[in-house]
Amino acid sequence: MKKIVATSLLLFSLPAFGQAKEDSIQFSKISTEILNKGKSYTELRDLTKNIGHRLSGSEAYKKSVKWAEQKLRDAGADKVWFQEVMIPVWERGKESLQIKISDGKWKNLKMLSLGNSEGTGGKDVSGEIIMVKSMEEYEKLPAEKVKDKIVFFNYPFNQSYIQTFKGYSDAAKYRVNAASLTAKKGGKVAIIRSLSSAFDDVPHTGAMRYENDQKIPAVAIGNTTADELERLLQSQKITAKLNSSCGMKGEKLSHSVIGEITGKKDKNVILVGGHLDSWDVGEGAHDDGTGIVQSIEVLRTFKNLGIKNNHTIRVVCFANEENGVKGGIQYGKTVRDNNEKHLFAIETDAGGFTPRGVSLEMDDQKRNQIKSWKPLFEPYGATDFEGRYSGTDIYPLHDMGVPTAELVPDSQRYFDIHHTEEDTFEKVNRRELLLGATVITQLIYMIDKNW
Amino acid sequence: MKKIVATSLLLFSLPAFGQAKEDSIQFSKISTEILNKGKSYTELRDLTKNIGHRLSGSEAYKKSVKWAEQKLRDAGADKVWFQEVMIPVWERGKESLQIKISDGKWKNLKMLSLGNSEGTGGKDVSGEIIMVKSMEEYEKLPAEKVKDKIVFFNYPFNQSYIQTFKGYSDAAKYRVNAASLTAKKGGKVAIIRSLSSAFDDVPHTGAMRYENDQKIPAVAIGNTTADELERLLQSQKITAKLNSSCGMKGEKLSHSVIGEITGKKDKNVILVGGHLDSWDVGEGAHDDGTGIVQSIEVLRTFKNLGIKNNHTIRVVCFANEENGVKGGIQYGKTVRDNNEKHLFAIETDAGGFTPRGVSLEMDDQKRNQIKSWKPLFEPYGATDFEGRYSGTDIYPLHDMGVPTAELVPDSQRYFDIHHTEEDTFEKVNRRELLLGATVITQLIYMIDKNW
């Protein structure tokens, strides 16, 4: 298309008088600064390409801790420090899943062990596959039908939800619980269809959990493989063979990285953060490299624009969100131990896509105050302030009564690549990422000024 | 991130009673049908991968005409026909741009001739480069400083606009007018910095226009090359050499493709369309393959859901939008000649990204009626009904008093790839594309029912 629409200055759409006008002008300064001079995108390239994925406990995670420290200093933090935290160590090792079909040959299936899953100890574990399409179908199976079998939970991602997070939440119980459910009836291995909104063959990993000591392996396969397996099972019995060496390897000392600009009026904290760790596939770009670089962008923008913050603005790069949330839990404990007052905390951990709004988890009075600022955000496309949830890492703060929030980016692409080899820098758009940082900075500006 | 938010059924957010409830249920049916069974994405893969780019007058365009006819029939159109239209033929041929820097060697620059530009007739045309950063700077140059020179208009895409269409419109005058402005002062060639929101080296083509018979060549270079050229020009004189064989090659008979489902009540037309042609680089995916497959999806969805349309729902796949708009003009002329009443026309030609709303170009009474339906669209993320423009191809209808509209997709990524080698199927997300088709279908459902 080549149509040329009339150019109008953004300022024309701003409220005309007084306080709102002043805020509008400040919003515009923040946006212009970030869209033109923001460093999130180049910093994300550095993190993803020079360090890459960074699972808790890995050498790469250690590198990312030093990286984050340096970036916080570069951005102009007054103070930067590490917060010690004991984290669980999970390692993938080698893994393979094969099936034997009617021609008697073994065929490799593309797969990923689920995070925190135990493996087969490097030995072959084989059994006949039985497939169920849902938990309900599984619950009806008598134990003798499951005993010694490999159970394939072939529950599809529900495409009907407009917000893909709903489809993800709906399917996540399969990832989390498939192994324990299978073990309970004597099954040997659980296979799940990946929690994926795409129509491809990319397997998605992610955390699972054992309910007790019956720790059987759990793996995920991609959509195309799942469809093919379903088709094959309609006409024949299939034996599968899993060989994997993944498993928990004890605990390690690790670190969250924290940087701040001290408040001019008091040291009450306004927190913005994401998680520095990632799964051990792809580059941890949208999950959650984007949240890390956006959080650092907030601090840099306050510095670059010379905004004198009343309260302390603190960036937290949380350790171990993906398979333990130990960084978030430790942070909350430290806040409680030190009796550090937190005014507000916002997390950005839903991908670096175009911001659509902010989800608010707090009392109605504060919630309504933030919602009253909506007209200021509308020119930036952030119009959805209806959500009532916030991020995983700041949940301990929420439990202590701190008003918490989460950036709401457009969700359409996230679960195509979430926890996969495909979560790479190339999937992040520069302007979308910077606009997300813009909206968070604008919100923190308002809170710093008014709370 | 692995947080699991509460799953809620979409129906919970629907208006509770009467007409609005009925419409909400129908909106949900449309959305569920398209998100689960929509064919836009696979049809787009077919169009882009098996036909590819399809410039007016090319063999590929001819193939795409047959392709569109078949897809309209497959979708369930009652009638499908071709509309004849004479279109201008432009061909790129061979092209190269070189510069000679201080070491005396010629260096190739990545470039694209602008669409409709004349070339050098296959001969070398060389001259010293002079650079200006803006029209204003150029206007101040005396003619003797431009005479026999190659003028480099190095105007950057303004990143500060939130809607990238504004940045595009702001910069488009350089693409359209650079050649004529240069020729007027005796220059030999115009080079422009590409109209690109990205920070890469991809050149963007697109239509230019000659004001008179002084038809000198105009070419575009990517951002990185433009930056490098600017740097070099700060310390030395640079000679450039252009050799290109592009140019207009007369006219040809071509076709727009039209399909419809006849109205049950009357034959007044509700039109939805995009353009079938593209530039001769990339695959014409977002521009405007997505608009074509979305338009066909509307028709298919009415058929599949068994919605009995009161008025005729017509899909138009316009010919020659990119370098002449002859398809749109011919369509308007035919409507006038045949005195065919059109109730409404919507175009989708701004990329297959997440829909943010609909732009409405019509009288206030109709506009306000559509805006009163906003609560129905909000669950689908379409909240912006403030724009007052519509598409290029339906502009002749607008001039005849037909209420016109355009889908407003998220604009952040469009001008990274617009009119480039990078406008490929891989840049389109399945759910984003289908959601766009959903919003158009919902709007047409409302108009068909209420107008």
Side-chain angles (χ1 to χ4, degrees), chain B residues 374-392:
Chain B
K374 223 173 112 168
L376 288 164
F377 288 98
E378 275 171 1
Y380 303 90
T383 55
D384 179 4
F385 292 79
E386 295 307 313
R388 287 175 179 270
Y389 58 88
S390 60
T392 310

PDB file of all heavy atoms in Angstrom, chain B residues 374-392:
ATOM      1  N   LYS B 374     -18.724  -0.494  19.676  1.00  0.00           N
ATOM      2  CA  LYS B 374     -17.382  -0.718  20.211  1.00  0.00           C
ATOM      3  C   LYS B 374     -17.325  -1.775  21.328  1.00  0.00           C
ATOM      4  O   LYS B 374     -16.419  -2.619  21.326  1.00  0.00           O
ATOM      5  CB  LYS B 374     -16.813   0.616  20.724  1.00  0.00           C
ATOM      6  CG  LYS B 374     -15.368   0.838  20.355  1.00  0.00           C
ATOM      7  CD  LYS B 374     -14.924   2.245  20.753  1.00  0.00           C
ATOM      8  CE  LYS B 374     -13.917   2.197  21.868  1.00  0.00           C
ATOM      9  NZ  LYS B 374     -13.246   3.516  22.080  1.00  0.00           N
ATOM     10  N   PRO B 375     -18.264  -1.748  22.285  1.00  0.00           N
ATOM     11  CA  PRO B 375     -18.184  -2.761  23.350  1.00  0.00           C
ATOM     12  C   PRO B 375     -18.182  -4.198  22.829  1.00  0.00           C
ATOM     13  O   PRO B 375     -17.591  -5.075  23.440  1.00  0.00           O
ATOM     14  CB  PRO B 375     -19.440  -2.486  24.194  1.00  0.00           C
ATOM     15  CG  PRO B 375     -19.749  -1.050  23.941  1.00  0.00           C
ATOM     16  CD  PRO B 375     -19.353  -0.787  22.512  1.00  0.00           C
ATOM     17  N   LEU B 376     -18.812  -4.415  21.691  1.00  0.00           N
ATOM     18  CA  LEU B 376     -18.810  -5.754  21.110  1.00  0.00           C
ATOM     19  C   LEU B 376     -17.430  -6.158  20.618  1.00  0.00           C
ATOM     20  O   LEU B 376     -17.076  -7.346  20.619  1.00  0.00           O
ATOM     21  CB  LEU B 376     -19.786  -5.806  19.923  1.00  0.00           C
ATOM     22  CG  LEU B 376     -21.280  -5.776  20.240  1.00  0.00           C
ATOM     23  CD1 LEU B 376     -22.081  -5.448  18.984  1.00  0.00           C
ATOM     24  CD2 LEU B 376     -21.726  -7.121  20.807  1.00  0.00           C
ATOM     25  N   PHE B 377     -16.664  -5.160  20.166  1.00  0.00           N
ATOM     26  CA  PHE B 377     -15.345  -5.444  19.591  1.00  0.00           C
ATOM     27  C   PHE B 377     -14.241  -5.514  20.643  1.00  0.00           C
ATOM     28  O   PHE B 377     -13.177  -6.086  20.392  1.00  0.00           O
ATOM     29  CB  PHE B 377     -14.980  -4.378  18.550  1.00  0.00           C
ATOM     30  CG  PHE B 377     -15.766  -4.487  17.275  1.00  0.00           C
ATOM     31  CD1 PHE B 377     -16.882  -3.686  17.049  1.00  0.00           C
ATOM     32  CD2 PHE B 377     -15.399  -5.402  16.297  1.00  0.00           C
ATOM     33  CE1 PHE B 377     -17.609  -3.798  15.877  1.00  0.00           C
ATOM     34  CE2 PHE B 377     -16.116  -5.511  15.118  1.00  0.00           C
ATOM     35  CZ  PHE B 377     -17.237  -4.707  14.904  1.00  0.00           C
ATOM     36  N   GLU B 378     -14.485  -4.916  21.796  1.00  0.00           N
ATOM     37  CA  GLU B 378     -13.414  -4.831  22.797  1.00  0.00           C
ATOM     38  C   GLU B 378     -12.823  -6.177  23.211  1.00  0.00           C
ATOM     39  O   GLU B 378     -11.604  -6.292  23.355  1.00  0.00           O
ATOM     40  CB  GLU B 378     -13.888  -4.015  24.012  1.00  0.00           C
ATOM     41  CG  GLU B 378     -13.690  -2.537  23.764  1.00  0.00           C
ATOM     42  CD  GLU B 378     -14.320  -1.637  24.805  1.00  0.00           C
ATOM     43  OE1 GLU B 378     -14.917  -2.150  25.770  1.00  0.00           O
ATOM     44  OE2 GLU B 378     -14.225  -0.412  24.636  1.00  0.00           O
ATOM     45  N   PRO B 379     -13.656  -7.223  23.396  1.00  0.00           N
ATOM     46  CA  PRO B 379     -13.048  -8.519  23.768  1.00  0.00           C
ATOM     47  C   PRO B 379     -12.081  -9.054  22.714  1.00  0.00           C
ATOM     48  O   PRO B 379     -11.292  -9.940  22.997  1.00  0.00           O
ATOM     49  CB  PRO B 379     -14.260  -9.451  23.905  1.00  0.00           C
ATOM     50  CG  PRO B 379     -15.426  -8.553  24.120  1.00  0.00           C
ATOM     51  CD  PRO B 379     -15.118  -7.282  23.388  1.00  0.00           C
ATOM     52  N   TYR B 380     -12.150  -8.498  21.508  1.00  0.00           N
ATOM     53  CA  TYR B 380     -11.276  -8.949  20.421  1.00  0.00           C
ATOM     54  C   TYR B 380     -10.083  -8.014  20.236  1.00  0.00           C
ATOM     55  O   TYR B 380      -9.319  -8.150  19.283  1.00  0.00           O
ATOM     56  CB  TYR B 380     -12.099  -9.117  19.134  1.00  0.00           C
ATOM     57  CG  TYR B 380     -13.226 -10.082  19.391  1.00  0.00           C
ATOM     58  CD1 TYR B 380     -14.477  -9.627  19.856  1.00  0.00           C
ATOM     59  CD2 TYR B 380     -13.019 -11.453  19.299  1.00  0.00           C
ATOM     60  CE1 TYR B 380     -15.486 -10.519  20.188  1.00  0.00           C
ATOM     61  CE2 TYR B 380     -14.027 -12.351  19.629  1.00  0.00           C
ATOM     62  CZ  TYR B 380     -15.248 -11.879  20.075  1.00  0.00           C
ATOM     63  OH  TYR B 380     -16.228 -12.774  20.417  1.00  0.00           O
ATOM     64  N   GLY B 381      -9.946  -7.058  21.150  1.00  0.00           N
ATOM     65  CA  GLY B 381      -8.791  -6.155  21.114  1.00  0.00           C
ATOM     66  C   GLY B 381      -8.906  -5.033  20.102  1.00  0.00           C
ATOM     67  O   GLY B 381      -7.963  -4.271  19.902  1.00  0.00           O
ATOM     68  N   ALA B 382     -10.043  -4.923  19.441  1.00  0.00           N
ATOM     69  CA  ALA B 382     -10.244  -3.838  18.467  1.00  0.00           C
ATOM     70  C   ALA B 382     -10.933  -2.682  19.187  1.00  0.00           C
ATOM     71  O   ALA B 382     -12.133  -2.753  19.463  1.00  0.00           O
ATOM     72  CB  ALA B 382     -11.073  -4.316  17.292  1.00  0.00           C
ATOM     73  N   THR B 383     -10.153  -1.680  19.543  1.00  0.00           N
ATOM     74  CA  THR B 383     -10.676  -0.609  20.388  1.00  0.00           C
ATOM     75  C   THR B 383     -10.520   0.771  19.756  1.00  0.00           C
ATOM     76  O   THR B 383     -11.061   1.741  20.260  1.00  0.00           O
ATOM     77  CB  THR B 383      -9.950  -0.585  21.744  1.00  0.00           C
ATOM     78  OG1 THR B 383      -8.534  -0.476  21.505  1.00  0.00           O
ATOM     79  CG2 THR B 383     -10.199  -1.876  22.524  1.00  0.00           C
ATOM     80  N   ASP B 384      -9.781   0.852  18.665  1.00  0.00           N
ATOM     81  CA  ASP B 384      -9.494   2.163  18.074  1.00  0.00           C
ATOM     82  C   ASP B 384     -10.381   2.407  16.857  1.00  0.00           C
ATOM     83  O   ASP B 384     -10.152   1.843  15.784  1.00  0.00           O
ATOM     84  CB  ASP B 384      -8.009   2.218  17.691  1.00  0.00           C
ATOM     85  CG  ASP B 384      -7.625   3.542  17.057  1.00  0.00           C
ATOM     86  OD1 ASP B 384      -8.484   4.452  16.981  1.00  0.00           O
ATOM     87  OD2 ASP B 384      -6.470   3.680  16.625  1.00  0.00           O
ATOM     88  N   PHE B 385     -11.390   3.253  17.047  1.00  0.00           N
ATOM     89  CA  PHE B 385     -12.295   3.606  15.945  1.00  0.00           C
ATOM     90  C   PHE B 385     -12.192   5.102  15.649  1.00  0.00           C
ATOM     91  O   PHE B 385     -13.131   5.716  15.141  1.00  0.00           O
ATOM     92  CB  PHE B 385     -13.744   3.210  16.295  1.00  0.00           C
ATOM     93  CG  PHE B 385     -13.949   1.720  16.357  1.00  0.00           C
ATOM     94  CD1 PHE B 385     -13.556   0.988  17.470  1.00  0.00           C
ATOM     95  CD2 PHE B 385     -14.520   1.030  15.290  1.00  0.00           C
ATOM     96  CE1 PHE B 385     -13.721  -0.391  17.533  1.00  0.00           C
ATOM     97  CE2 PHE B 385     -14.695  -0.352  15.342  1.00  0.00           C
ATOM     98  CZ  PHE B 385     -14.292  -1.061  16.468  1.00  0.00           C
ATOM     99  N   GLU B 386     -11.052   5.694  15.961  1.00  0.00           N
ATOM    100  CA  GLU B 386     -10.910   7.142  15.850  1.00  0.00           C
ATOM    101  C   GLU B 386     -10.391   7.628  14.495  1.00  0.00           C
ATOM    102  O   GLU B 386     -10.564   8.784  14.143  1.00  0.00           O
ATOM    103  CB  GLU B 386      -9.991   7.666  16.964  1.00  0.00           C
ATOM    104  CG  GLU B 386     -10.566   7.481  18.367  1.00  0.00           C
ATOM    105  CD  GLU B 386     -11.976   8.073  18.503  1.00  0.00           C
ATOM    106  OE1 GLU B 386     -12.190   9.217  18.061  1.00  0.00           O
ATOM    107  OE2 GLU B 386     -12.851   7.359  19.035  1.00  0.00           O
ATOM    108  N   GLY B 387      -9.727   6.748  13.728  1.00  0.00           N
ATOM    109  CA  GLY B 387      -9.177   7.172  12.435  1.00  0.00           C
ATOM    110  C   GLY B 387     -10.268   7.623  11.478  1.00  0.00           C
ATOM    111  O   GLY B 387     -11.419   7.185  11.583  1.00  0.00           O
ATOM    112  N   ARG B 388      -9.894   8.527  10.569  1.00  0.00           N
ATOM    113  CA  ARG B 388     -10.873   9.056   9.612  1.00  0.00           C
ATOM    114  C   ARG B 388     -10.360   8.935   8.181  1.00  0.00           C
ATOM    115  O   ARG B 388     -10.492   9.843   7.372  1.00  0.00           O
ATOM    116  CB  ARG B 388     -11.180  10.528   9.927  1.00  0.00           C
ATOM    117  CG  ARG B 388     -12.025  10.725  11.175  1.00  0.00           C
ATOM    118  CD  ARG B 388     -12.185  12.199  11.507  1.00  0.00           C
ATOM    119  NE  ARG B 388     -13.015  12.410  12.688  1.00  0.00           N
ATOM    120  CZ  ARG B 388     -14.344  12.564  12.665  1.00  0.00           C
ATOM    121  NH1 ARG B 388     -14.989  12.544  11.519  1.00  0.00           N
ATOM    122  NH2 ARG B 388     -15.013  12.752  13.780  1.00  0.00           N
ATOM    123  N   TYR B 389      -9.732   7.811   7.882  1.00  0.00           N
ATOM    124  CA  TYR B 389      -9.235   7.587   6.521  1.00  0.00           C
ATOM    125  C   TYR B 389      -9.721   6.204   6.086  1.00  0.00           C
ATOM    126  O   TYR B 389     -10.227   5.423   6.894  1.00  0.00           O
ATOM    127  CB  TYR B 389      -7.707   7.658   6.480  1.00  0.00           C
ATOM    128  CG  TYR B 389      -7.032   6.673   7.404  1.00  0.00           C
ATOM    129  CD1 TYR B 389      -6.731   5.380   6.980  1.00  0.00           C
ATOM    130  CD2 TYR B 389      -6.725   7.031   8.718  1.00  0.00           C
ATOM    131  CE1 TYR B 389      -6.143   4.465   7.847  1.00  0.00           C
ATOM    132  CE2 TYR B 389      -6.135   6.118   9.585  1.00  0.00           C
ATOM    133  CZ  TYR B 389      -5.851   4.829   9.147  1.00  0.00           C
ATOM    134  OH  TYR B 389      -5.275   3.923   9.989  1.00  0.00           O
ATOM    135  N   SER B 390      -9.577   5.941   4.789  1.00  0.00           N
ATOM    136  CA  SER B 390      -9.837   4.582   4.323  1.00  0.00           C
ATOM    137  C   SER B 390      -8.877   4.277   3.190  1.00  0.00           C
ATOM    138  O   SER B 390      -7.996   5.064   2.878  1.00  0.00           O
ATOM    139  CB  SER B 390     -11.296   4.392   3.931  1.00  0.00           C
ATOM    140  OG  SER B 390     -11.647   5.263   2.905  1.00  0.00           O
ATOM    141  N   GLY B 391      -9.066   3.106   2.565  1.00  0.00           N
ATOM    142  CA  GLY B 391      -8.041   2.609   1.651  1.00  0.00           C
ATOM    143  C   GLY B 391      -7.998   3.285   0.293  1.00  0.00           C
ATOM    144  O   GLY B 391      -8.965   3.917  -0.160  1.00  0.00           O
ATOM    145  N   THR B 392      -6.868   3.125  -0.381  1.00  0.00           N
ATOM    146  CA  THR B 392      -6.596   3.719  -1.688  1.00  0.00           C
ATOM    147  C   THR B 392      -7.545   3.201  -2.765  1.00  0.00           C
ATOM    148  O   THR B 392      -8.064   3.975  -3.567  1.00  0.00           O
ATOM    149  CB  THR B 392      -5.155   3.349  -2.110  1.00  0.00           C
ATOM    150  OG1 THR B 392      -4.288   3.650  -1.031  1.00  0.00           O
ATOM    151  CG2 THR B 392      -4.745   4.125  -3.351  1.00  0.00           C
TER     152      THR B 392
END
